[in-house]
Amino acid sequence: MGTLHLDTVHRVDLADDAVLAQLYGVEAASKRAGRPWHDPESPSAFAADQRFVDPAEDHLLWAAWWDGRPVGLAHCWFPLTDNVDKAYCMVEVEPQARGRGRGTALLQAVLDEVHRRGRPEVLSEVFVPLDAGDEHPYRRFAARHGFAEASRDSMRHLALPVDAGRLDDLEAGARAGWSGRYRLETYVDGVPEHLQASLCDTENQLAVDAPAGTVEYEPESLTPERYRERLQLFTDMGRERITTVAVDGDGQVVAYTDLVIGSGTRTSVWQWGTLVRREHRGHRLGLAVKVENLRRLQAAHPERTVVMTGNADVNAHMLAINEALGFQLVEACPQLQRRL
């Protein structure tokens, strides 16, 4: 082995297929450490995601090299049309390459770029065991580099299939609240164009409505055009997205939920955003759209065995829905913040 040099950290050429394939393995190994349930997407999906150009967000990627191959990587995302005071970062190092300054070198490259762009706030997250204290290596690393816990999320898993009788009971309990006022519609790989504007308006509220502790968000700026670009990205990646929406009498989306099946994953499904617009709450729409989405998932993909989700520990309403469905606690996910 040679000696580590900080100048072995540099930006990645996203056109280099071989390097992206290596980084895919690095990220998968890092995320799987202590988390045997990690179910990565395919290498081709990883490459497509890195190469996607979003006009509303810059994404930069660095790699840490050792003995001629990458052993760590760092992502940083810079919103360009909303929340432009923030940057979001993630650092991953192969387990056998940790403890030698590579994570620090990668994070410093990120912080230098954040400082150059004048962003005063950097956000990240880590996954740790439920009983992990301040001495957990991930927490120590974050604290050493000036990150503090802004809020605490917990990750939950739902074993599939959920019993049909349980879903029937939950659906019946919710129906009295929304029936006659709204209709539920489910789509695969995107909602039709006539629903896209109101869906985007609803999705844009998720950042401000979800509890975020000491982080202050403004509404996001997803547009129908960008929504369609993301749908194309999902097609390129090989992902499948199942969306159930609640539509009011004016034909507007007032609630939604997403389940995503990653390309190349074997057993898992990701529960993405769920939101009911404030003026339409109190009708049990959150439970209704999630139950309907699960029904569609189980009918179309009986091979899937687990849904993974995360929620802020103080989000009592969503936690109650997830617990009613049968989600079980698996790990903690502290949300981290550093003010420069």
Side-chain angles (χ1 to χ4, degrees), residues 171-189:
E171 179 187 17
R175 182 173 291 275
W178 65 265
S179 182
R181 298 181 177 90
Y182 308 93
R183 65 181 185 273
L184 304 186
E185 301 178 4
T186 302
Y187 300 95
V188 176
D189 296 336

Side-chain angles (χ1 to χ4, degrees), residues 62 105-118 340:
W62 290 263
L106 285 162
L107 180 58
Q108 190 58 54
V110 169
L111 295 176
D112 288 346
E113 181 65 19
V114 172
H115 180 74
R116 188 184 72 80
R117 296 191 182 210
L340 299 184

Side-chain angles (χ1 to χ4, degrees), residues 85-310:
D85 59 328
K86 298 174 176 60
Y88 307 86
C89 74
M90 180 179 74
V91 175
E92 305 283 359
V93 178
E94 285 182 345
Q96 66 271 24
R98 294 175 181 174
R100 298 177 176 88
R102 290 154 192 161
T104 294
L106 285 162
L107 180 58
Q108 190 58 54
V110 169
L111 295 176
D112 288 346
E113 181 65 19
V114 172
H115 180 74
R116 188 184 72 80
R117 296 191 182 210
R119 300 283 173 116
E121 188 174 10
V122 189
L123 304 173
S124 189
E125 65 184 17
V126 291
F127 297 97
V128 298
L130 290 168
D131 59 354
D134 292 341
E135 291 307 304
H136 188 277
Y138 296 174
R139 286 186 172 276
R140 290 206 316 268
F141 179 86
R144 189 165 69 248
H145 294 286
F147 285 84
E149 185 173 307
S151 62
R152 183 181 173 92
D153 288 9
S154 292
M155 307 303 294
R156 288 172 166 80
H157 291 182
L158 175 64
L160 299 178
V162 179
D163 180 72
R166 180 180 219 165
L167 293 179
D168 288 343
D169 290 344
L170 292 172
E171 179 187 17
R175 182 173 291 275
W178 65 265
S179 182
R181 298 181 177 90
Y182 308 93
R183 65 181 185 273
L184 304 186
E185 301 178 4
T186 302
Y187 300 95
V188 176
D189 296 336
V191 305
E193 287 196 19
H194 71 275
L195 294 177
Q196 289 176 5
S198 58
L199 174 63
C200 289
D201 287 344
T202 302
E203 285 197 34
N204 287 335
Q205 293 302 308
L206 184 60
V208 293
D209 280 11
T214 60
V215 181
E216 296 183 2
Y217 289 100
E218 64 183 13
E220 295 185 345
S221 53
L222 182 64
T223 63
E225 180 180 12
R226 287 181 58 213
Y227 177 77
R228 291 189 290 271
E229 290 171 350
R230 291 184 182 183
L231 294 180
Q232 183 58 54
L233 170 65
F234 275 29
T235 298
D236 295 342
M237 294 177 69
R239 284 179 176 173
E240 181 178 328
R241 180 175 183 170
I242 304 173
T243 304
T244 293
V245 296
V247 181
D248 68 8
D250 295 325
Q252 303 295 298
V253 172
V254 301
Y256 80 97
T257 190
D258 282 321
L259 290 167
V260 176
I261 300 171
S263 169
T265 58
R266 299 161 298 166
T267 60
S268 63
V269 181
W270 305 319
Q271 170 67 65
W272 280 15
T274 300
L275 183 76
V276 180
R277 294 188 69 93
R278 294 178 187 178
E279 61 271 27
H280 294 274
R281 292 174 184 169
H283 303 291
R284 309 208 71 185
L285 287 173
L287 177 60
V289 294
K290 293 193 79 165
V291 167
E292 182 60 23
N293 229 30
L294 272 175
R295 285 192 187 280
R296 294 299 186 97
L297 169 70
Q298 293 187 168
H301 292 281
E303 80 284 358
R304 296 287 146 170
T305 62
V306 62
V307 177
M308 302 178 177
T309 193

Side-chain angles (χ1 to χ4, degrees), residues 7-73:
D7 60 7
T8 59
V9 170
H10 58 75
R11 287 274 302 279
V12 174
D13 177 4
L14 298 180
D16 192 323
D17 292 334
V19 169
L20 286 184
Q22 290 175 303
L23 290 175
Y24 165 82
V26 170
E27 185 166 297
S30 177
K31 289 187 172 183
R32 193 180 291 116
R35 305 172 67 241
W37 50 81
H38 179 61
D39 189 12
E41 290 191 90
S42 65
S44 60
F46 175 83
D49 195 20
Q50 307 317 304
R51 289 169 173 158
F52 176 62
V53 178
D54 186 343
E57 182 180 73
D58 276 351
H59 168 229
L60 304 183
L61 181 64
W62 290 263
W65 289 75
W66 185 252
D67 275 359
R69 71 177 187 90
V71 296
L73 72 160

